[in-house]
Amino acid sequence: MTVGQEVPVREGPSFREALGVWARIGLLSFGGPAAQIALMHRMLVDEKRWLDEGRFLNALSFCMLLPGPEAMQLATYAGWRLHGIAGGLAAGLLFVLPGALVVLFLSMLYVALGDVPVVEGLFLGVKAAVLAIVVEALGRIARRALVGGLQLSIAAAAFVAIFLFNTPFPMIVVVAALAGFLTPGALTGKRATGADADVARLAAGHVGASLRTAVVWLAIWLLPLIVLEWGSAGGLLADLGWYFSKLAVVTFGGAYAVLAYMTQEVVAVRGWLTTGQMMDGLGLAETTPGPLILVTEFVAFVAAAGREGNLWLGAAGAVIALWATFAPCFLWIFVGAPYVEWLNGQPRLKGALAAITAAVVGVIANLAIWFALHVIFRSIVPVEVGPVRFGVPELSSIDPLAGGLALICGVLLLALHRSVPEVLAVAVALAAGATLAGF
């Protein structure tokens, strides 16, 4: 565990002072990873000067190489730089806990009141707003990731693989990463050269401590799940723990990228949620502080609560999902943090990341189409031709209210550049008014 204490910065804040800043970041972390990273940069680099610009950017590049929410992991890394393991735990937990508590509360209300007509109307507005949000995220990521013909080809191949062939998201990630690793120059424009010799020697000195840290955090992550498996004889709660642990390993590209895979599993394969519930969960996660991947907490709550609406069992499922989703994040950071400078000198790893990011564009394009079909149309007809499988909407089943709300949200977000909370508020207000008026 000593690895957390081995890379001091300069004379920094007291632990108590830092704790207040981590809490403030956690409470203000609305708006997705871009806004959250900008908030941390302003507070940690510009205002407090606890990290310099170069160290902050190197840490951000490192966190983007990892599965999981990069903003939460960046906060964890910053805490580790200042106060070791304790600082990393404080920063990471305070980034997640405010939003997690809000999602838990909203999940309880959702399960308890979800069948009330006016509540269903409110969530229609949420779904319409989420459709616009996903389209906006697609455009933002595509502009950053698709800078050449090869990246565009990778994105197109990923879209075809998941849209027409239902290829599992982990397989798409692995294939894209392998392609980028083998051809880094084609994606990054850099030769695959080694890192600086001094940096490499410094990184090599941390190997023993990192191995010990890995063993400790693997045990912290997995032992509770093993105990749960034995205690429940492989019941639903254990299934939730193992599933979200697997999800935590493949969440490259952020929550939007993994949503298609999650939907494929929890709706079509496992039957834990309906399509509508899945979209409602993303809408709830969009309205709360913290990482968007907190949608896993909602999914686990609804799945565990079941048809009977058992709120205690739902809360247990939510806690298990949080553990399985975020315990690995601390593992990645505490093991990898001493190697940040070395990793940033590895073009092959950057090539792998560039390829994964390009593939994520195709995956999110599939997600955007999936949302559009299920928000605007009431009935989707499955089509199968050999290995090709996709859904076609019944044109007669179009929902004019949902389509109109989605169009309004699109104009507000994409044309008028209003904030996500504003768009959500407008959509929910219009949907509630239309429901009360009998539409």
Side-chain angles (χ1 to χ4, degrees), residues 17-217:
E17 181 186 357
L19 207 61
V21 171
W22 305 138
R24 184 180 169 200
I25 289 173
L27 290 169
L28 297 176
S29 58
F30 292 89
Q36 292 160 357
I37 291 166
L39 172 67
M40 279 188 279
H41 183 276
R42 176 166 55 82
M43 296 184 70
L44 302 179
V45 179
D46 296 336
E47 295 179 5
K48 300 295 183 180
R49 301 188 183 279
W50 292 345
L51 294 177
D52 58 42
E53 185 76 22
R55 185 162 285 162
F56 183 90
L57 293 177
N58 282 340
L60 177 57
S61 296
F62 165 62
C63 292
M64 291 182 68
L65 285 168
L66 302 173
E70 63 265 33
M72 176 267 182
Q73 291 173 148
L74 180 60
T76 303
Y77 176 85
W80 176 88
R81 290 292 313 189
L82 295 173
H83 298 106
I85 296 288
L89 282 171
L93 289 173
L94 286 173
F95 189 89
V96 171
L97 286 178
L101 291 173
V102 174
V103 170
L104 179 62
F105 175 71
L106 293 176
S107 299
M108 290 180 173
L109 289 182
Y110 180 86
V111 169
L113 304 175
D115 291 334
V116 178
V118 69
V119 174
E120 293 179 349
L122 293 176
F123 276 99
L124 177 62
V126 170
K127 291 172 189 174
V130 166
L131 173 56
I133 291 166
V134 172
V135 171
E136 192 267 343
L138 172 63
R140 184 178 66 248
I141 296 172
R143 286 191 297 271
R144 186 186 73 214
L146 305 184
V147 296
L150 182 56
Q151 287 91 333
L152 185 60
S153 298
I154 292 173
F159 173 79
V160 170
I162 197 168
F163 183 78
L164 295 181
F165 297 97
N166 279 333
T167 304
F169 179 65
M171 185 180 296
I172 292 174
V173 168
V174 169
V175 172
L178 183 60
F181 185 85
L182 295 175
T183 59
L187 289 164
T188 65
K190 298 179 180 179
R191 288 191 304 114
T193 58
D196 178 82
D198 291 336
V199 173
R201 280 195 297 272
L202 181 63
H206 291 288
V207 171
S210 294
L211 288 174
R212 293 192 294 273
T213 302
V215 170
V216 169
W217 278 93

Side-chain angles (χ1 to χ4, degrees), residues 288-314:
T288 59
L292 185 57
I293 200 65
L294 282 173
V295 67
T296 59
E297 179 187 5
F298 171 87
V299 169
F301 186 98
V302 175
R307 295 182 182 277
E308 296 79 18
N310 187 324
L311 299 185
W312 288 109
L313 197 57

